[in-house]
Amino acid sequence: LGGRGVLQIDQEIALDSRTRGIVKQLAANNQDFNIKFGKAMVKMAAIEVLTGTKGEIRRSCRAIN
């Protein structure tokens, strides 16, 4: 919200009308942010990365190669 997003996407999320509300909500409540961030990290840790011939590196994140 202060224009100090670490990554460009952080700043874009804060400025986009579709996501600005949740950014403001989380910025206003540090405890809520910490809880939701922790849950998101647990979910990400459960993602199994595919390697070798089982996975692929996408040229574009929006589409399968």
Side-chain angles (χ1 to χ4, degrees), residues 24-57:
K24 286 183 177 182
Q25 177 186 8
L26 293 172
N29 186 336
N30 195 35
Q31 184 177 4
D32 189 32
F33 172 83
N34 289 335
I35 290 168
K36 288 183 178 182
F37 183 80
K39 287 180 180 181
M41 291 297 103
V42 170
K43 283 184 177 182
M44 284 185 62
I47 297 172
E48 293 186 24
V49 178
L50 301 177
T51 59
T53 58
K54 294 180 183 177
E56 69 177 33
I57 298 174

Side-chain angles (χ1 to χ4, degrees), residues 1-13:
L1 294 174
R4 298 181 294 141
V6 176
L7 302 173
Q8 181 179 351
I9 188 67
D10 295 336
Q11 194 59 50
E12 291 175 14
I13 290 170

